[in-house]
Amino acid sequence: MSAPRTSVMMPAYNSEATLRESVESVLTQTVAELELIVVDNASTLPVRELLADVRDPRLRLVRLPVNLGTAGARNAALRRARAPLVSQLDSDDQWEPDYLEHMLPCFEDPAVGLAYSNTHIIGHPTGHDDYIGDPSVHPMHDFPKIAEQNPIPCPTATIRVDAAPAGGGYSVTQWMVEDYLMYLRLARAGWRFAYVHRQLAR
């Protein structure tokens, strides 16, 4: 098996209704050099049982003894990552098959610490299909603009591992928006962001 180009961090908690589709969207990427770390946040039905028939060596399962929230699960995956990049994908989101094909080239620029794309929104109450309607202001990594609202769809963010320690990992004091706080820390540390105007997740 080739060395992974990215480690995909997938927190999971009682997500049996959506987990398999999320996992399959990673393992069927057009770029095969990856590892998928599913962190079971003490689910009632263990993830290991749900995915027992998945025989892909790129899949790694970690079960936490207690629920540490999304931030704690991502940190557990980050500590185990073997690739130079880490990608976020929650267990109720999915990637388009060419997500990594479009995102990984962004990191050929050594100044880029984070890359992201647009995404589909499924079931929005007003019928919106995309997260980013105006691409002209992206990538957004400068203050004060980035502090006005989160510009980055969570399931489309890939981060350089060398940049992550500068952000201090994901804050476990945040039960929500821990991803946004990570982005702000990366921007404050001077990392540049890259943006791909394609809907590469859903």
Side-chain angles (χ1 to χ4, degrees):
M1 185 175 65
S2 301
R5 297 174 65 185
T6 189
S7 300
V8 185
M9 306 178 294
M10 183 179 291
Y13 175 69
N14 290 350
S15 53
E16 52 266 27
T18 58
L19 176 63
R20 182 170 291 271
E21 288 185 345
S22 299
V23 166
E24 289 176 354
S25 79
V26 174
L27 298 180
T28 56
Q29 286 291 298
T30 56
V31 174
E33 297 82 16
L34 60 87
E35 66 174 356
L36 170 56
I37 306 172
V38 179
V39 180
D40 183 351
N41 237 334
S43 300
T44 304
L45 179 61
V47 164
R48 191 170 300 277
E49 295 182 21
L50 291 171
L51 301 178
D53 61 333
V54 179
R55 305 297 183 187
D56 193 313
R58 298 173 297 170
L59 175 63
R60 301 171 61 193
L61 302 179
V62 177
R63 181 169 171 85
L64 301 180
V66 295
N67 190 328
L68 297 181
T70 303
R74 287 202 179 113
N75 284 337
L78 183 60
R79 288 193 298 270
R80 293 165 171 82
R82 296 185 291 209
L85 305 172
V86 288
S87 301
Q88 295 177 170
L89 189 67
D90 290 342
S91 58
D92 58 352
D93 296 322
Q94 300 166 35
W95 280 343
E96 300 298 340
D98 56 348
Y99 168 80
L100 289 176
E101 180 181 330
H102 290 287
M103 301 306 295
L104 295 183
C106 296
F107 293 93
E108 294 172 6
D109 181 347
V112 169
L114 183 151
Y116 64 104
S117 75
N118 203 350
T119 184
H120 292 284
I121 299 176
I122 308 301
H124 193 285
T126 64
H128 288 356
D129 176 63
D130 66 346
Y131 188 98
I132 295 171
D134 177 12
S136 66
V137 296
H138 296 271
M140 191 182 297
H141 45 216
D142 292 325
F143 289 92
K145 187 66 177 177
I146 191 177
E148 293 177 1
Q149 63 182 30
N150 185 1
I152 300 170
C154 178
T156 73
T158 290
I159 299 169
R160 194 183 297 275
V161 169
D162 288 348
Y170 294 88
S171 174
V172 295
T173 63
Q174 302 294 121
W175 193 252
M176 298 177 66
V177 303
E178 77 293 329
D179 55 333
Y180 184 26
L181 183 56
M182 166 67 91
Y183 313 150
L184 293 172
R185 287 173 169 170
L186 295 178
R188 185 176 63 183
W191 289 98
R192 312 304 289 172
F193 297 174
Y195 173 65
V196 175
H197 191 55
R198 289 175 175 263
Q199 289 173 287
L200 296 177
R202 54 191 184 274

